[in-house]
Every structure is written in C-alpha cells, then in structure tokens.
C-alpha cells in the first residue's frame, strides 16, 4: 500500500470527518500547553511570585474548587448557543488568564486570575467531550480514544519541554512556560474558528428556517439517577489522584523503592495510555458493552490497590516489582474507566439536554481534583490497610454504578439522533 493510500485509510478510521481531524489537531496543541504548565505551576508560584507553601496550596485548591462550576455552566450554554463559539470563549478565557498571571506576584489577584483560568479549563474540557459526542455520533467512544491518545502525546511533549526549561531554572524560563501555555490556548481558539458546527439535538429548525432551543429541556440537577451516577464517577476518577499524589508520596514515605521510580511510573502510565487506549476502546463501543466493562474495572482497581499495599514490604526489589504491577493495573483501570465514562455519560443524557448533562458530569472530575488528594493522603496515612480500604471502596462503587444504570440505558444508543440543520 502506498503512503498516500495509508494516509487515506487512517483518515477513514477517524470518526467525525474533516472537523474531527481538525479537533484532534487542536487537542494536540492545547495539551502541549497543558504539559508546559501543569507540572510546574506550584514551582512557578513558589520561586517566581514568592508565595509561601501554604499560599500555593490554598491558591491551587481554591481556584480548582471554583473551576468546578465551569463544566455545568459551559454545558448548559452549549445547549443554547453554537458549541464552537462557546469553546472559543473558554479557550480565550484561559489564554487571557495565563497571560494575566505574569502581571502580578500578589496572592489575592493571583487567586482571582487562577480561578478564571480554572473556569475556562473545566469548560473547555467538557465542551471538547460534547463536540466529540456530536461530531462522531455512535462512534463517540472510538473518537474519544483517539482524542485522548493525541492529548497524552501532546502532554508528554509539553512535559519534556517543561523539564528542559526547569533545568535552566531562571525566572525567565518559568515565565516562558506560562506564556507558552497561554499562547497554545490562543492558537487553539484560532484553530477552532475553522471547525464546522455539528448538529445539536437541543436546537431545532423553526418554520422560518431559523434555529431555536428545544422547549423545556430536562434538568440534570433534578435527575436523581444521573446525580447518583455522577457521584459514583467522582469516586472512580480517583485513579488520577493516585498517580499524581499517591504514588510519589507512598514511594518516598512507605517503601524501600528508589525515589526516582516515581517519574518512571508516570512515564509508564503515559506510554500505556497512548498504546492501549484506542485498542481497548472497542470493548466499550456500545452502551451495554461499556456497562459490562465495570466488572474488569473493579478487578483492575482491586489488583492495583492490593499491589500498593504489598509494596510496603521490607525488600527493595519486591517493592519495585509491586509498584510496577500497581502502576500497570491502575493504568488499565484508568483506560477502562475512560472508555466506560465516555459512553455512559452520554447514553444517560436526554438528547435535548446533552450539554447540560455532560456539564454536570464534568463536575465529577473537577470535584476529584479538589477532594482526591485528601482521600489518597488519608489512605497513605493509614498504611497498607488504607490502600486495601480504598480498593474495596472503588470495587463497591463499580458494582453500585453497574446496578444503578442497568435499567436506565437505551438500546440501541446513539450520541446524536438524525438532525437536518447545522450551524455555521
């Protein structure tokens, strides 16, 4: 097969057509910027702005807490306005906030600016997911798998660039990372201008040919089943806190493993996601298949947390082996949960209120960012038994979620029903 034929075949395998491929390019740019900033923000606020450790912790925690509102607000707006316009606004908000952080070194204005940036970040995340649901239709899981793989690649590129800048260690180097993140958000906004507006079931064609919002859309805040589902999702998203907070602290304070193993396990996580997210996504391509994956997800969580407990043994090599097994199992859990979450969060949402429902679902990941580190550090403080208890809670949540959604899922389930109007 010629190179041109291979490229054509690859394009055919990406749902969403040209706009889908454009959004993947936007994801690569956007996540590269995230990689520049995410791992270095605490160091920037410490060494450049001169905040104390307590102030840095408060700034990051409070701004993340305020950012939780970004997902539901953006989702509801996207049910009423073209999603590309709302996404551009979120990206511009992030870019503006990033550049504004360069203008001050005082705690109060930094907190306000960081909060606006967090609102934009959470909004952009849920809008990207909603765009995928609308552009890819019934192939939304496969598209999200490709999108996440591209995003992880971009994050790794940004992380490598950040590591190089941190090796320099000057104020200008730190500021360049912040500016780079802001500029990638601006580039993402400009690139989004080229994306077509996908059909939206929440907006319908009137007799005059104009479009209006569908009357009386469902309210996710009054949907008890969906709220319980979102609560269970907040628990299952804890794999993020385990990797970002739990593994490094546990390695340093409770095991005989070398401290340098922590970043290597993060690399393992990233490589596994890039390599396996797309192949494993096919096992959750339908709504019922996604629900059935909650069983293997429970097994992966149990294996990962049990291995974390075992890693506290008084043996360097056994600790290393157990930690590698834990990272592998928990990464598989992360991949499986991502696949399940993409499908069920959309399948449980009424067509006319997709944006509002996905916005509320976005609260789960945002809430985990605030509460997750506290839960994981609590498990660490309890020792090996803490990991066992955390694992038991995660397994119980998997089965509770499966039971909760069992009779709520449509069959067959499509992200977007046929709609004849598109907004340009």
């Amino acid at each position: 097969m010629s190179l041109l034929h291979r490229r054509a075949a690859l394009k055919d395998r990406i749902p969403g057509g040209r706009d889908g491929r454009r959004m993947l390019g936007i994801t690569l740019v956007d996540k590269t910027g995230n990689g520049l900033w995410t791992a270095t923000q605490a160091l920037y606020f410490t060494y450049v702005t001169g905040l104390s450790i307590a102030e840095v912790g408060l700034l990051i925690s409070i701004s993340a807490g305020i950012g939780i509102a970004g997902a539901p607000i953006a989702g509801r707006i996207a049910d009423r306005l073209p999603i590309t316009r709302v996404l551009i606004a979120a990206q511009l908000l992030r870019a503006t906030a990033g550049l504004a952080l360069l203008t001050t070194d005082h705690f109060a204005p930094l907190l306000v600016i960081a909060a606006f940036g967090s609102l934009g970040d959470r909004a952009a995340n849920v809008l990207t997911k909603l765009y995928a649901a609308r552009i890819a239709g019934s192939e939304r899981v496969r598209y999200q798998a490709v999108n996440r793989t591209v995003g992880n690649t971009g994050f790794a590129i940004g992380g490598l660039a950040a590591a190089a800048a941190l090796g320099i260690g000057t104020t200008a180097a730190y500021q360049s990372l912040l500016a780079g993140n802001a500029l990638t958000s601006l580039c993402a906004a400009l690139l989004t201008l080229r994306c077509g507006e996908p059909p939206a079931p929440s907006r319908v064609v009137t007799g005059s040919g104009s479009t209006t919002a569908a009357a009386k859309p469902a309210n996710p805040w009054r949907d008890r089943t969906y709220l319980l589902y979102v609560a269970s999702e907040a628990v299952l998203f804890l794999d993020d806190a385990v990797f970002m907070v739990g593994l490094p602290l546990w390695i340093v304070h409770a095991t005989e493993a070398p401290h340098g193993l922590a970043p290597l396990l993060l690399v393992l996580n990233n490589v596994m996601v890039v390599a396996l997210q797309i192949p494993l996504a096919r096992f959750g391509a339908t709504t019922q298949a996604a629900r059935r994956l909650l069983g293997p997800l429970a097994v992966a969580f149990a294996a990962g947390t049990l291995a974390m407990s075992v890693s506290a043994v008084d043996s360097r090599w056994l600790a290393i082996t157990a930690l590698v097994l834990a990272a592998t199992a928990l990464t598989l859990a992360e991949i499986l949960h991502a696949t399940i979450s993409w499908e069920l969060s959309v399948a449980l949402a009424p067509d006319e209120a997709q944006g509002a429902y996905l916005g509320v679902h976005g609260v789960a990941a945002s809430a985990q960012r605030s509460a997750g580190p506290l839960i994981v550090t609590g498990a660490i403080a309890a020792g090996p038994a803490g990991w066992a208890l955390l694992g038991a809670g995660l397994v119980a949540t998997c089965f509770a979620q499966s039971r909760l959604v069992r009779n709520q899922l449509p069959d067959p389930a499509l992200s977007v029903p046929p709609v004849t109007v598109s907004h340009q």
Side-chain angles (χ1 to χ4, degrees):
M1 182 183 292
S2 69
L3 179 59
L4 289 176
H5 287 154
R6 288 177 182 173
R7 292 180 63 186
L10 178 61
K11 288 181 179 181
D12 290 340
R13 289 197 296 269
I14 298 176
R18 179 178 297 176
D19 287 329
R21 294 192 293 274
R22 285 174 175 169
M23 189 55 70
L24 292 177
I26 293 168
T27 295
L28 180 64
V29 171
D30 192 29
K31 294 303 180 182
T32 298
N34 287 168
L36 291 174
W37 175 241
T38 300
T40 58
Q41 60 175 328
L43 297 176
Y44 175 87
F45 290 130
T46 300
Y47 295 115
V48 177
T49 65
L51 299 183
S52 67
I53 294 176
E55 287 175 325
V56 172
L58 279 174
L59 188 150
I60 294 175
S61 297
I62 294 174
S63 61
I66 294 172
I68 291 174
I73 291 172
R76 184 165 289 275
I77 294 174
D79 278 336
R80 291 161 172 76
L81 299 175
I83 187 173
T84 50
R85 297 180 190 174
V86 186
L87 180 55
I88 289 169
Q91 291 161 339
L92 290 176
L93 177 60
R94 291 167 56 197
T96 302
L99 293 175
L101 287 174
L102 294 168
T103 66
T104 181
D105 57 3
H106 297 291
F107 177 78
L110 284 172
L111 175 60
V112 173
I113 296 167
F116 276 107
S118 183
L119 282 169
D121 180 66
R122 294 291 87 199
N125 278 354
V126 76
L127 291 169
T128 301
K129 178 180 177 180
L130 181 58
Y131 189 93
R134 291 179 178 175
I135 201 73
S138 60
E139 295 185 283
R140 59 180 174 249
V141 171
R142 186 155 66 93
Y143 182 85
Q144 286 280 29
V146 176
N147 188 63
R148 189 163 191 254
T149 300
V150 170
N152 272 267
T153 302
F155 197 89
I157 294 171
L160 290 173
L166 291 178
I168 300 173
T170 63
T171 296
Y174 280 105
Q175 290 173 332
S176 69
L177 295 175
L178 179 52
N181 183 38
L183 291 176
T184 56
S185 294
L186 177 60
C187 289
L190 295 175
L191 291 171
T192 304
L193 288 170
R194 301 185 60 203
C195 291
E197 181 68 20
S202 56
R203 293 193 298 278
V204 298
V205 181
T206 65
S208 62
S210 61
T211 60
T212 61
K216 295 182 180 179
N219 186 342
W221 297 107
R222 297 179 180 176
D223 188 330
R224 181 174 176 272
T225 298
Y226 200 82
L227 290 178
L228 288 173
Y229 166 70
V230 171
S232 68
E233 284 286 88
V235 176
L236 298 183
F237 275 121
L238 282 173
D239 61 81
D240 180 67
V242 169
F243 263 100
M244 300 305 295
V245 178
L247 268 173
L249 291 179
W250 184 251
I251 288 172
V252 171
H253 295 289
T255 78
E256 297 295 324
H259 297 178
L261 182 63
L264 294 179
L265 292 180
L266 291 177
V267 172
L268 173 65
N269 169 264
N270 196 270
V271 170
M272 286 183 63
V273 170
V274 171
L276 298 177
Q277 187 71 72
I278 296 174
L280 292 182
R282 71 177 185 272
F283 294 107
T286 68
T287 303
Q288 293 300 335
R291 176 181 168 268
R292 287 193 293 270
L293 282 180
L294 285 164
L297 175 61
V299 173
F301 274 133
T305 51
L306 178 61
M308 290 290 284
S309 295
V310 172
S311 68
V313 296
D314 190 19
S315 167
R316 182 183 182 92
W317 288 108
L318 284 178
I320 292 173
T321 301
L323 287 166
V324 171
L325 290 174
T328 301
L330 291 170
T331 299
L332 286 173
E334 175 187 341
I335 294 169
L336 291 174
H337 179 238
T339 299
I340 297 165
S341 182
W342 294 330
E343 178 62 26
L344 297 188
S345 61
V346 178
L348 290 168
D351 294 330
E352 74 279 2
Q354 248 181 22
Y357 271 69
L358 291 185
V360 171
H361 181 262
V363 171
S366 300
Q368 187 278 143
R369 285 190 171 191
S370 294
L374 295 176
I375 295 172
V376 170
T377 52
I380 292 173
W387 288 111
L389 287 173
L390 179 61
L394 290 166
V395 169
T397 302
C398 288
F399 288 108
Q401 185 178 107
S402 178
R403 183 177 180 84
L404 175 70
V405 305
R406 181 175 55 193
N407 297 322
Q408 303 295 324
L409 298 173
D411 188 24
L414 295 178
S415 295
V416 182
V419 178
T420 58
V421 62
S422 179
H423 305 275
Q424 301 297 331

